[in-house]
Amino acid sequence: MITQFDTYQETEAFTAEVVHTPRYRSAATLADDPAGLTCSVTVGMRWASAKGRAGRLSGYPSFELAAESVKDGRHDALLVAGAYPEIRSFFFDPRLRAVEAFVSALPDMVLAAPEEHAALRRFDTVYYHPATRVLFETSVEGRTDRAIQATSNSTACRDALENPGRAAAITNQLCADHYGLRTLEVLSAGTPMSFVVFERKDRL
């Protein structure tokens, strides 16, 4: 027996097409590699597309350069990782204002090395970005006598490849794969991190 209520359940009572208009024409973040391999780009693409926030995402070699591109009107929004040590400067910049914060999972952070060094347990040099220092201190410090800070995860990979000695990098899985490094250990799997969105204060 089909009741009137059951019939209603089988048909749509309302439907409408929804056209998403991005909140921002474009947003800027950190990316020093044409392949856009930073954690900020990975999260930024997710934020821009899935949440309909921005029509385009552009990367700059530093968050400071990305901020300048927002302040001079080239982009509408700035996306900064909460772990960035100098994020405080953007909060107090008279031309910027924080308008949104959210948490999103990062790509896996790994210890990786060139293929010829993949069987090693100890390295002459390990490269890492300052934001991953705690991973170095807790998991890798005892495996090297020399640690060098890199400007990005991509740079850490390139430095490890160019080092004539036995070198490794703490980097994200995207970078390791892109540069052909062998992942030796996952140091942090899909860690959630906060991100802050800034706008230019005079933006209408």
Side-chain angles (χ1 to χ4, degrees):
M1 177 179 177
I2 299 179
T3 65
Q4 189 172 0
F5 176 78
D6 292 329
T7 302
Y8 289 151
Q9 291 289 88
E10 295 172 2
T11 61
E12 295 176 339
F14 172 82
T15 184
E17 295 295 326
V18 178
V19 178
H20 293 282
T21 301
R23 178 175 179 179
Y24 302 113
R25 170 181 49 92
S26 61
T29 192
L30 175 70
D32 67 341
D33 191 297
L37 303 170
T38 62
C39 297
S40 295
V41 166
T42 301
V43 171
M45 290 299 294
R46 196 181 304 147
W47 167 80
S49 57
K51 295 191 175 183
R53 290 293 196 268
R56 187 173 80 251
L57 185 69
S58 296
Y60 290 82
S62 70
F63 283 120
E64 285 72 21
L65 288 173
E68 288 303 317
S69 76
V70 172
K71 290 188 283 187
D72 68 20
R74 280 175 284 163
H75 303 288
D76 297 331
L78 169 68
L79 180 67
V80 183
Y84 180 54
E86 298 304 318
I87 191 173
R88 58 183 179 252
S89 66
F90 303 128
F91 284 105
F92 297 107
D93 189 309
R95 297 184 61 191
L96 296 173
R97 63 180 174 190
V99 295
E100 179 183 351
F102 63 94
V103 173
S104 186
L106 301 179
D108 291 351
M109 300 303 298
V110 302
L111 176 65
E115 191 68 35
E116 62 269 28
H117 301 148
L120 298 177
R121 289 292 303 164
R122 188 171 181 81
F123 302 92
D124 298 328
T125 308
V126 172
Y127 298 92
Y128 69 94
H129 186 271
T132 65
R133 181 172 179 79
V134 67
L135 297 179
F136 171 77
E137 293 174 340
T138 58
S139 303
V140 183
E141 190 168 14
R143 297 170 66 176
T144 186
D145 294 323
R146 186 178 185 218
I148 298 179
Q149 291 189 358
T151 56
S152 70
N153 290 317
S154 294
T155 302
C157 291
R158 292 194 295 267
D159 289 346
L161 285 168
E162 293 169 3
N163 189 310
R166 299 174 299 175
I170 295 175
T171 186
N172 68 44
Q173 189 68 65
L174 298 174
C175 289
D177 291 344
H178 180 80
Y179 286 101
L181 300 183
R182 172 79 69 87
T183 296
L184 308 180
E185 183 180 347
V186 176
L187 304 176
S188 177
T191 299
M193 181 181 286
S194 65
F195 285 79
V196 181
V197 180
F198 297 86
E199 288 181 357
R200 191 175 63 255
K201 278 189 176 178
D202 60 0
R203 181 177 179 269
L204 296 177

